[in-house]
């Protein structure tokens, strides 16, 4: 029996109690009937509240059926113009959700993205420690077909080698040191050692062969290593 039917049955009981109360002459019987009336009225109120809640759930599904979790955005690319650093986020059907569901927050050295309720998920991305500061007041977003374009306005027209400071530090670390006072041959040896340690078997055979030939030439009086 559904809630509507239960409420109808209780209403019928209440009416019958009312009829009995009108006919009752003894005070004790009247009191018992009134108490029973109050119990049924409370039960009807509870059932009606349950019915209203059920109707609201049908009209507005519970949050569990909506975006239930957040995933990180990993599919992106970037480039730059003289005035902007442009971040391209690939998100299928993003152009079909309300624009207000795509939130971008800018600071001088970071930006964060939150795309809400896209295909039943929230999509999030945060980039910290940007290489150079942004003009936050003139940075903005564009929503295109299956893509969000983030326009990060540069404070200066300086060219960005990388997107973040961390990437720049990693890139600089991999560069060979260029000490003007160092022995050039030591720098060459360091570079060869690095190539040898990171190379495959073919690369190692090539370097070994070149090294052997170089040593043979030195023994013959040659000064230069010929690779």
């Amino acid at each position: 029996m559904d809630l509507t039917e239960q409420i109808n049955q209780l209403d019928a009981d209440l009416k019958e109690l009312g009829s009995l109360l009108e006919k009752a002459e003894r005070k004790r019987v009247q009191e018992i009937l009134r108490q029973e009336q109050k119990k049924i009225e409370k039960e009807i109120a509870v059932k009606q509240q349950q019915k209203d809640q059920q109707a609201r759930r049908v009209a507005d599904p519970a949050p569990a059926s909506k975006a239930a979790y957040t995933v990180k955005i990993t599919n992106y690319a970037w480039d730059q113009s003289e005035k902007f650093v442009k971040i391209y986020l690939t998100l299928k059907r993003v152009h079909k959700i309300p624009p207000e569901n795509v939130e971008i927050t800018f600071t001088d050295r970071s930006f964060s993205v939150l795309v809400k309720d896209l295909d039943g998920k929230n999509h999030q991305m945060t980039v910290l420690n940007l290489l150079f500061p942004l003009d936050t007041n003139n940075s903005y977003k564009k929503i295109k077909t299956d893509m969000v374009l983030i326009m990060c306005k540069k404070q200066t027209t300086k060219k960005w080698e990388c997107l973040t400071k961390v990437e720049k530090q990693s890139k600089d670390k991999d560069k060979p040191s260029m000490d003007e006072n160092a022995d050039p041959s030591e720098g060459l040896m360091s570079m060869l050692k690095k190539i040898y340690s990171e190379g495959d078997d073919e690369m190692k055979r090539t370097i070994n062969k070149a090294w052997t030939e170089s040593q043979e030439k030195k023994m013959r009086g040659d000064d230069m290593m010929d690779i």
Side-chain angles (χ1 to χ4, degrees):
M1 188 183 298
D2 64 14
L3 287 171
T4 300
E5 182 64 23
Q6 291 177 39
I7 292 170
N8 290 340
Q9 290 292 331
L10 289 169
D11 279 334
D13 291 346
L14 194 61
K15 287 178 182 177
E16 190 165 338
L17 277 172
S19 298
L20 291 172
L21 186 60
E22 289 177 0
K23 296 175 182 178
E25 296 180 357
R26 297 182 64 82
K27 188 173 181 181
R28 186 176 178 184
V29 172
Q30 291 174 346
E31 187 62 31
I32 291 171
L33 291 173
R34 288 193 185 97
Q35 289 176 0
E36 194 62 28
Q37 270 186 324
K38 289 179 181 179
K39 284 173 61 178
I40 293 177
E41 285 171 351
K42 285 182 181 179
E43 194 172 351
I44 290 173
V46 171
K47 298 292 184 184
Q48 187 62 50
Q49 187 178 23
Q50 291 174 349
K51 183 180 176 182
D52 293 342
Q53 289 174 347
Q54 192 177 74
R56 283 196 294 271
R57 282 197 296 270
V58 172
D60 183 19
S65 67
K66 298 181 180 179
Y69 61 98
T70 299
V71 296
K72 287 187 178 181
I73 298 171
T74 56
N75 189 9
Y76 74 95
W78 74 281
D79 67 9
Q80 63 186 303
S81 63
E82 185 179 1
K83 295 181 179 180
F84 287 91
V85 171
K86 306 171 188 178
I87 315 296
Y88 302 87
L89 308 181
T90 302
L91 293 166
K92 285 185 180 274
R93 292 179 288 278
V94 70
H95 57 287
K96 294 184 178 180
I97 64 174
E100 58 269 22
N101 280 25
V102 181
E103 299 177 357
I104 314 291
T105 304
F106 297 98
T107 71
D108 286 353
R109 291 276 187 171
S110 71
F111 67 85
S112 62
V113 184
L114 178 60
V115 180
K116 296 187 290 187
D117 199 13
L118 173 61
D119 292 337
K121 298 185 288 288
N122 295 329
H123 300 255
Q124 188 268 341
M125 174 183 180
T126 300
V127 178
L128 305 172
N129 296 317
L130 293 170
L131 187 61
F132 297 116
L134 300 180
D135 177 354
T136 57
N137 292 329
N138 292 299
S139 298
Y140 58 95
K141 72 184 179 191
K142 288 183 179 179
I143 299 176
K144 301 189 174 186
T145 302
D146 296 332
M147 180 182 291
V148 177
L149 173 58
I150 304 170
M151 302 292 289
C152 300
K153 180 69 166 61
K154 298 178 179 179
Q155 285 193 11
T156 68
T157 57
K158 188 181 295 186
K159 184 176 180 180
W160 291 34
E161 297 176 49
C162 307
L163 191 58
T164 67
K165 287 183 176 181
V166 173
E167 290 174 13
K168 179 70 164 59
Q169 290 168 356
S170 178
K171 189 175 179 181
D172 290 345
K173 186 178 179 181
D174 290 338
K175 288 182 179 178
S177 59
M178 301 297 290
D179 186 350
E180 294 180 358
N181 298 320
D183 184 344
S185 63
E186 290 182 5
L188 180 59
M189 286 302 299
S190 296
M191 185 182 298
L192 284 173
K193 286 179 182 178
K194 186 175 187 300
I195 294 172
Y196 186 87
S197 65
E198 296 176 356
D200 56 15
D201 291 343
E202 183 64 29
M203 177 63 72
K204 289 177 180 178
R205 283 195 293 270
T206 301
I207 293 174
N208 284 332
K209 182 180 177 182
W211 176 256
T212 301
E213 291 175 356
S214 172
Q215 294 304 306
E216 289 174 353
K217 288 182 180 181
K218 282 186 178 181
M219 291 177 66
R220 294 197 302 265
D222 294 337
D223 294 325
M224 297 297 292
M225 182 177 180
D226 185 11
I227 297 178

